[in-house]
Amino acid sequence: MKIWIPQINPARRSGCTWLFGVQFGGGLVEGDNVRCKITVQANCCVLYASLGQNKAYQCAVGKTVCQKNDFHVGPNSALFVLPDPTLLQKESALSQYQVTRVASNGNLVLLDWYISGREGLLEHWEGASLRSVNSIHMDGVEIFRDVMCLSGDLTLRRASMGKYRVIGLCVVVGDVVGRHLADAIKALSIGNSYGVAADTNQIVACSPLYSDCSDTVVCGHVIRFCYSTTITAYEGVADILNPIFAMAGGNPFEKNY
């Protein structure tokens, strides 16, 4: 893996620097152990994206692909972690661990999402296993920890996931990004009006972040989602995050679907 910084920053007018994580061969293969560390200094803005969908390829029984990301967000700074979704091929085994440390007046938008497999080959959650851990700390206190696990009996797993081909979450932390996304978060928190049928092709829910430490005040929300198609997932996520794209310098998914 390498980090690519374009010579001509596509978001130069916004003052946000774009970085792209590039996987050699287009994805993660058995035995890979990828580690990435990004530090955003004070008064800076960075968007970390990918060049198209990431892929986790087939692994032999008992083997895994490991990926660890370590993010640091300084005071009065913003980090947008907005990669394309990771496609989980049949018999893939992915273990991902992401730790983000945010200053009390820092801002973070972190997206972590997955595709059930290669639609053309009728793959549907046939990966051997997925374990994705996201841990977010503010001033040394862990304010959020989430573990997403998919494993076990294939028939039961496919039945549980139903028609949904994309699942994921988006964590929003910070006053500035919170104000930009306030209307979208309010709409997601309220849900449908009485008598209005829900769209069964998608499930989107939003909840506020709370800290067990009384000395740490957290301004943040967690958005969880499921979509029945990859295209509607891209469209839905882009629609939710649209208010922050001006701050980030653009929509990193614009030409990817």
Side-chain angles (χ1 to χ4, degrees):
M1 179 183 178
K2 68 182 296 185
I3 302 295
W4 178 54
I5 304 176
Q7 290 184 346
I8 300 178
N9 180 14
R12 59 190 180 278
R13 293 183 179 177
S14 71
C16 185
T17 298
W18 284 26
L19 311 178
F20 294 90
V22 181
Q23 301 283 356
F24 293 103
L28 298 164
V29 299
E30 176 186 317
D32 279 353
N33 189 351
V34 179
R35 294 176 179 267
C36 174
K37 181 177 181 179
I38 294 177
T39 299
V40 183
Q41 300 289 357
N43 305 308
C44 295
C45 181
V46 170
L47 184 145
Y48 179 53
S50 58
L51 295 174
Q53 293 174 8
N54 300 309
K55 298 178 182 65
Y57 291 108
Q58 178 181 356
C59 293
V61 176
K63 301 292 185 178
T64 60
V65 170
C66 297
Q67 180 168 271
K68 182 177 181 180
N69 295 321
D70 195 352
F71 304 119
H72 294 254
V73 185
N76 298 312
S77 295
L79 173 63
F80 303 99
V81 183
L82 302 179
D84 287 82
T86 297
L87 188 148
L88 305 172
Q89 293 194 6
K90 184 177 181 179
E91 298 180 359
S92 61
L94 173 62
S95 176
Q96 177 178 268
Y97 187 65
Q98 297 190 131
V99 179
T100 307
R101 295 173 175 83
V102 188
S104 57
N105 56 350
N107 293 271
L108 170 72
V109 178
L110 184 146
L111 180 63
D112 186 25
W113 50 337
Y114 299 90
I115 301 174
S116 64
R118 294 168 290 186
E119 190 169 1
L121 298 180
L122 303 180
E123 294 177 356
H124 190 56
W125 303 114
E126 296 179 34
S129 65
L130 165 67
R131 178 179 172 83
S132 178
V133 179
N134 283 288
S135 175
I136 299 176
H137 300 250
M138 179 175 287
D139 290 341
V141 177
E142 187 176 60
I143 61 171
F144 175 76
R145 185 177 183 85
D146 180 85
V147 182
M148 185 187 304
C149 288
L150 289 175
S151 61
D153 182 75
L154 175 59
T155 302
L156 179 61
R157 192 190 326 158
R158 296 183 69 172
S160 300
M161 298 305 296
K163 63 182 177 181
Y164 299 107
R165 295 193 58 85
V166 180
I167 62 171
L169 61 82
C170 182
V171 186
V172 178
V173 177
D175 291 335
V176 177
V177 292
R179 287 196 298 269
H180 278 75
L181 293 171
D183 290 341
I185 289 172
K186 181 179 180 180
L188 293 174
S189 302
I190 294 174
N192 293 335
S193 302
Y194 179 78
V196 178
D199 182 0
T200 60
N201 291 313
Q202 64 181 44
I203 300 174
V204 185
C206 181
S207 57
L209 274 179
Y210 294 102
S211 173
D212 292 334
C213 178
S214 59
D215 295 331
T216 302
V217 179
V218 180
C219 175
H221 288 79
V222 183
I223 302 168
R224 303 180 187 274
F225 54 83
C226 301
Y227 290 94
S228 60
T229 70
T230 304
I231 292 178
T232 55
Y234 269 110
E235 292 174 342
V237 168
D239 184 59
I240 294 170
L241 298 180
N242 184 63
I244 58 107
F245 287 153
M247 180 180 175
N251 176 3
F253 313 123
E254 187 172 7
K255 298 181 180 179
N256 294 359
Y257 63 97

